[in-house]
Amino acid sequence: MSKRAADVTTDFNALKGGNRPQKDDDNEEAGAFEDEYEDEFESEDEILEAGVDGRPDDEREDEEKRDRMDVDQRTFIPGRDKLAVGETLSPDTSTYEMLHSLSSTWPCLSFDIVPDSLGSNRKAYPATLYAVAGTQADSRKPTDNELMVMKLSGLSRTEHDRDEDSDNDDDDDDESAEPILETKSIRLSSTTNRIRAHQAPPTDSSKAPTTLTATMTESSDVLIHNVTPHLTSFDAPGTIINPQQSLPIATLKMHRSEGYAVDWSPLVTQGKLITGDNDGKIFVTTCGDGGKWTPDNRPYTGHQSSVEDLQWSPNERNVFASASSDGTVKVWDVRSKAHKPAVSVKVSDADVNVLSWSRQTVHLLATGADDGQWAVWDLRQWKPASSQASDPRPKSIASFDFHKEQITSIEWHPTDDSIMAVAAGDNTLTLWDLAVEFDDEESKETAGVRDVPPQLLFVHYMETVKECHWHPQIPGCIMGTGNAGFGVFKTISV
């Protein structure tokens, strides 16, 4: 991230651009050099010292160095460094392969990326992606809230990247397309605290997969929508969505307080949902015969405060993990009739806001807390819960306190279990490489900046970023949401 003050124009190519008489070393017998301006300059040495603007070269070069320092001579760390009056942040586009910002009518606290049929491991531009999001409308206008089904297209490479890599004018035209945000809106009567999408494969290969969304609302209701017709309408011109298709297929009212925790099981195709609220209660809801959604009669209890995040195990269909503002992470088995946690670990003295379960190495779990720390844990070191008053506190295998504000989102890279994306309240979305080995000396200074861990790959500035997700089919592509709208980018680092 580069920092600049006022616009400064400096001609760095004019340091020594004057036409000066040169000594002819090849013809020493030609006699003395006759200069018609010898009354003004007494010797060649004096000419060389004076320079192109009448000042000594050393004096002019010192001034140019000072000018360059006004443009950028240090690394600016958002969240730590502060801008002076009149200064603005500008991204260094040479570090991005793709960088786009798109705005919506209302900001969104949460979104999720929807898998598509455009292929995996996509690297061609312009890129296209599909997503769902829930709005946070003005509190005086709660009925203005929407569930937005989105198609983002025309996501081209950065100008810098195109200039270096493309020799084909036709390809340049395609890759320089303007980004387009298309939306289909479903009216909601409350703010969306968190939204997650689930996709079930079609029974008929000629049809699109069924895409469901679960929305945790400020009113404490959990809404389940089938957004399949909204998604397919983007690529089928003339499609009309009737009002009935925008109604929720289920409205769950088992929670007595609002919540932020929701997750779909990746191993149950027909749909299995967990939701948690501010009272510390967790409910499991399943889809039965006839498409009826039924929550458990009795919640899973054990947290002493609000449940902030939930995630199903990527490889065990009956196991999920929960994060709470009581500072603990608990692991549960839905087969337990006691509805109590199988494992409970105190991982922070602050609220644990978010967690992420590695899809590649399933014994690794990452957590992010309210004090800005995030950590990685080896679940094989966690012991079953006991009747002791205090929960055990095993040591994390990696822990970072780079962020100075609360961690708002954390997610493992979908195919590389050494890469992490972390969003925080200091207006940054950072990328990390855990494969970089720890070194006490190196960790004191990285790239000339003190107190920056060597595992930190990239710092992306995004105002009040709330959530981030990797795109599972576009390697290295990340999407984030904040008060200023959505950001989609891909760095040269990942």
Side-chain angles (χ1 to χ4, degrees):
M1 188 67 63
S2 59
K3 178 171 76 73
R4 63 180 182 185
D7 290 337
V8 179
T9 302
T10 306
D11 186 0
F12 295 107
N13 295 321
L15 294 178
K16 295 183 180 180
N19 295 321
R20 303 166 187 160
Q22 300 293 322
K23 182 178 179 180
D24 189 352
D25 295 328
D26 295 333
N27 190 359
E28 296 180 356
E29 299 179 358
F33 176 71
E34 296 183 3
D35 184 3
E36 61 179 315
Y37 301 109
E38 61 183 357
D39 291 338
E40 182 177 353
F41 297 109
E42 296 182 358
S43 70
E44 183 180 18
D45 291 338
E46 186 174 346
I47 295 174
L48 294 174
E49 182 182 353
V52 295
D53 59 359
R55 293 183 300 157
D57 289 339
D58 291 344
E59 178 183 330
R60 186 178 61 259
E61 288 173 356
D62 287 343
E63 181 180 323
E64 288 168 347
K65 287 180 181 179
R66 291 194 297 272
D67 290 341
R68 288 197 294 270
M69 288 181 67
D70 289 339
V71 176
D72 184 19
Q73 283 294 310
R74 67 185 179 87
T75 301
F76 185 91
I77 305 296
R80 294 191 180 186
D81 300 332
K82 294 186 181 299
L83 293 172
V85 176
E87 291 182 332
T88 59
L89 286 176
S90 178
D92 181 357
T93 57
S94 68
T95 63
Y96 292 88
E97 185 174 313
M98 175 176 67
L99 176 62
H100 295 284
S101 297
L102 303 99
S103 60
S104 56
T105 304
W106 297 106
C108 298
L109 292 173
S110 180
F111 76 99
D112 204 7
I113 292 175
V114 178
D116 56 55
S117 59
L118 300 179
S120 298
N121 199 31
R122 304 201 298 265
K123 298 180 181 179
Y125 290 94
T128 298
L129 63 84
Y130 300 82
V132 292
T135 64
Q136 184 186 27
D138 190 302
S139 58
R140 295 167 295 181
K141 301 178 180 179
T143 55
D144 283 357
N145 278 294
E146 299 172 330
L147 188 166
M148 297 195 306
V149 185
M150 303 181 292
K151 177 183 179 180
L152 291 75
S153 58
L155 303 175
S156 58
R157 291 195 298 181
T158 59
E159 293 283 347
H160 173 86
D161 200 57
R162 281 203 304 274
D163 291 343
E164 287 190 350
D165 294 344
S166 180
D167 296 325
N168 189 307
D169 292 339
D170 293 335
D171 289 345
D172 284 349
D173 291 340
D174 291 339
E175 294 185 0
S176 61
E178 290 295 322
I180 300 172
L181 172 60
E182 302 173 73
T183 63
K184 303 293 182 182
S185 297
I186 297 174
R187 188 67 61 186
L188 300 178
S189 59
S190 182
T191 292
T192 295
N193 289 344
R194 192 162 290 169
I195 186 171
R196 291 292 180 263
H198 171 72
Q199 205 165 73
T203 54
D204 184 345
S205 59
S206 63
K207 296 182 178 180
T210 300
T211 303
L212 305 176
T213 61
T215 308
M216 290 287 291
T217 66
E218 194 175 48
S219 67
S220 79
D221 290 345
V222 181
L223 307 177
I224 300 177
H225 287 86
N226 184 345
V227 297
T228 308
H230 305 75
L231 286 166
T232 55
S233 68
F234 289 125
D235 304 306
T239 300
I240 298 176
I241 301 172
N242 63 59
Q244 189 69 25
Q245 291 175 307
S246 292
L247 296 176
I249 60 175
T251 300
L252 309 178
K253 294 182 173 291
M254 62 280 190
H255 292 285
R256 295 294 176 261
S257 64
E258 67 173 312
Y260 292 83
V262 57
D263 194 38
W264 291 97
S265 170
L267 304 177
V268 181
T269 56
Q270 71 270 26
K272 191 170 188 176
L273 191 67
I274 43 174
T275 53
D277 59 32
N278 287 351
D279 292 335
K281 296 179 179 179
I282 301 170
F283 287 88
V284 175
T285 301
T286 55
C287 182
D289 296 336
K292 183 179 180 181
W293 295 87
T294 307
D296 282 351
N297 294 326
R298 188 159 58 98
Y300 293 80
T301 57
H303 283 297
Q304 303 304 309
S305 190
S306 61
V307 178
E308 298 296 318
D309 202 4
L310 289 163
Q311 197 161 108
W312 287 98
S313 165
N315 68 325
E316 294 190 48
R317 61 187 294 139
N318 294 307
V319 176
F320 68 88
S322 60
S324 170
S325 57
D326 63 13
T328 68
V329 169
K330 301 183 189 296
V331 180
W332 312 72
D333 190 328
V334 299
R335 294 168 296 190
S336 170
K337 295 181 180 179
H339 284 213
K340 296 295 182 182
V343 178
S344 180
V345 174
K346 182 78 170 179
V347 300
S348 177
D349 293 326
D351 299 1
V352 184
N353 296 330
V354 289
L355 56 78
S356 180
W357 209 319
S358 172
R359 306 293 190 197
Q360 300 297 312
T361 307
V362 295
H363 60 264
L364 295 181
L365 186 77
T367 59
D370 217 44
D371 58 4
Q373 290 198 1
W374 68 275
V376 178
W377 307 85
D378 187 340
L379 295 178
R380 296 173 300 182
Q381 299 177 1
W382 290 14
K383 304 302 180 184
S386 66
S387 58
Q388 296 178 357
S390 60
D391 293 319
R393 193 165 187 171
K395 186 178 180 181
S396 62
I397 61 174
S399 180
F400 302 93
D401 61 358
F402 171 79
H403 292 285
K404 302 308 177 186
E405 299 290 340
Q406 72 275 13
I407 304 299
T408 59
S409 186
I410 190 168
E411 188 167 284
W412 294 91
H413 189 284
T415 59
D416 188 340
D417 59 8
S418 68
I419 304 296
M420 298 288 300
V422 180
D426 55 13
N427 300 321
T428 62
L429 198 168
T430 54
L431 306 183
W432 300 76
D433 185 357
L434 301 180
V436 177
E437 295 183 0
F438 287 85
D439 186 292
D440 291 339
E441 290 302 319
E442 288 183 2
S443 63
K444 294 178 182 178
E445 185 169 318
T446 299
V449 184
R450 291 192 61 81
D451 301 323
V452 174
Q455 292 79 15
L456 180 61
L457 279 178
F458 200 88
V459 179
H460 174 77
Y461 178 83
M462 188 172 187
E463 183 182 352
T464 59
V465 57
K466 295 296 183 182
E467 199 167 277
C468 63
H469 297 296
W470 298 94
H471 196 293
Q473 297 167 273
I474 306 177
C477 175
I478 305 173
M479 184 173 177
T481 184
N483 280 0
F486 299 100
V488 182
F489 66 93
K490 177 180 167 72
T491 76
I492 60 173
S493 303
V494 179

